[in-house]
Amino acid sequence: MVVKVYGTAYASPKRVLVCLIEKGIEFETVPIDLIKGEHKSPEYLQLQPFGAVPVIQDGDYALYESRAIIRYYAEKYKSQGTELLGKTIEERGLVEQWLEVEAQNYHPPIYNLTLHILFASALGFPPDEKIIKESEEKLAKVLDIYEDRLSKSKYLAGEFFSLADLSHLPFTQYLVGPMNKEYMIKSRKHVSAWWDNISNRPSWKKVLQL
């Protein structure tokens, strides 16, 4: 069965796509237009009751929440493609730790920046300059911690590319691209080298071409 991935025009589903490509798993994409409210349709809410993207359908199996999906595929296809979870339990622990850091510390401020800078007008509300300023300050503090970590290892969980790095790709792409805040990455030597490395992976370049 080919995996179906819903909502792939948006950032979180791209997390799933890059994982599937790294693992060599075939997939097809199903567009969902959030601006038109397609994520609130009764059919879609049967798959994802919270009305968010992505969802995957893998035969009879459906799963939502992008980080849960990438963990699932990295485990299910552990023996093929790129090893994304680490080879030892200690490496796995670090992968999980930095995945949680991404979800709990990195994602909230970068999500607020994305929402207020890129999507506010399309969603019908004015960008909140106070939220933008506070979110950039919070993100800068997180990136300072990343700079320290990445001065000691090539990737977040050690010397190997993992889900922890992969999970940062979609929203950081917004930051350095359409948000014009590339200086937040480039001004930190080790974060900048890490970003150049992970954003030039063939899997991510393929996702950007889709």
Side-chain angles (χ1 to χ4, degrees):
M1 291 292 292
V2 175
V3 179
K4 286 184 181 178
V5 188
Y6 290 76
T8 47
Y10 304 97
S12 292
K14 288 184 166 68
R15 238 184 227 116
V16 174
L17 296 183
V18 72
C19 177
L20 294 174
I21 293 167
E22 288 281 350
K23 288 310 236 173
I25 301 162
E26 281 188 60
F27 62 86
E28 60 185 61
T29 61
V30 183
I32 298 287
D33 192 326
L34 302 187
I35 306 298
K36 289 182 182 169
E38 290 175 358
H39 58 307
K40 299 296 184 188
S41 71
E43 302 79 33
Y44 188 74
L45 290 172
Q46 291 263 303
L47 284 172
Q48 216 298 16
F50 297 100
V53 291
V55 180
I56 60 101
Q57 272 189 305
D58 194 341
D60 295 333
Y61 185 70
L63 193 63
Y64 54 85
E65 292 296 342
S66 61
R67 293 174 193 84
I69 296 167
I70 63 176
R71 284 175 166 108
Y72 166 73
Y73 281 112
E75 189 70 65
K76 183 177 180 181
Y77 296 96
K78 200 164 169 52
S79 60
Q80 76 179 50
T82 310
E83 171 52 71
L84 296 170
L85 290 168
K87 292 186 172 71
T88 65
I89 193 73
E90 289 78 14
E91 287 180 353
R92 175 71 181 262
L94 286 171
V95 172
E96 292 291 349
Q97 171 185 278
W98 285 99
L99 258 178
E100 285 298 314
V101 169
E102 185 274 322
Q104 307 298 334
N105 300 90
Y106 188 86
H107 184 73
I110 205 170
Y111 177 80
N112 279 336
L113 288 171
T114 302
L115 190 63
H116 284 271
I117 294 171
L118 298 184
F119 294 110
S121 55
L123 294 169
F125 62 88
D128 186 321
E129 293 302 328
K130 184 168 179 277
I131 289 176
I132 291 170
K133 183 174 181 289
E134 287 173 354
S135 298
E136 184 164 336
E137 286 167 0
K138 284 177 186 170
L139 185 61
K141 286 177 181 171
V142 175
L143 285 169
D144 287 343
I145 293 168
Y146 279 41
E147 178 67 9
D148 180 62
R149 169 59 183 168
L150 292 163
S151 71
K152 298 170 183 137
S153 63
K154 187 175 181 182
Y155 298 100
L156 288 170
E159 298 307 312
F160 61 101
F161 178 76
S162 74
L163 291 184
D165 308 290
L166 177 156
S167 197
H168 289 78
L169 283 162
F171 280 92
T172 312
Q173 190 73 47
Y174 283 155
L175 188 76
V176 303
M179 276 197 260
N180 291 317
K181 292 189 181 291
E182 191 178 27
Y183 58 85
M184 295 193 74
I185 301 296
K186 292 295 176 193
S187 63
R188 294 166 174 87
K189 179 178 138 186
H190 298 100
V191 171
S192 182
W194 167 75
W195 174 250
D196 286 347
N197 181 338
I198 67 171
S199 63
N200 278 296
R201 288 183 77 84
S203 58
W204 182 239
K205 289 186 166 181
K206 190 171 179 182
V207 168
L208 293 178
Q209 286 165 2
L210 286 174

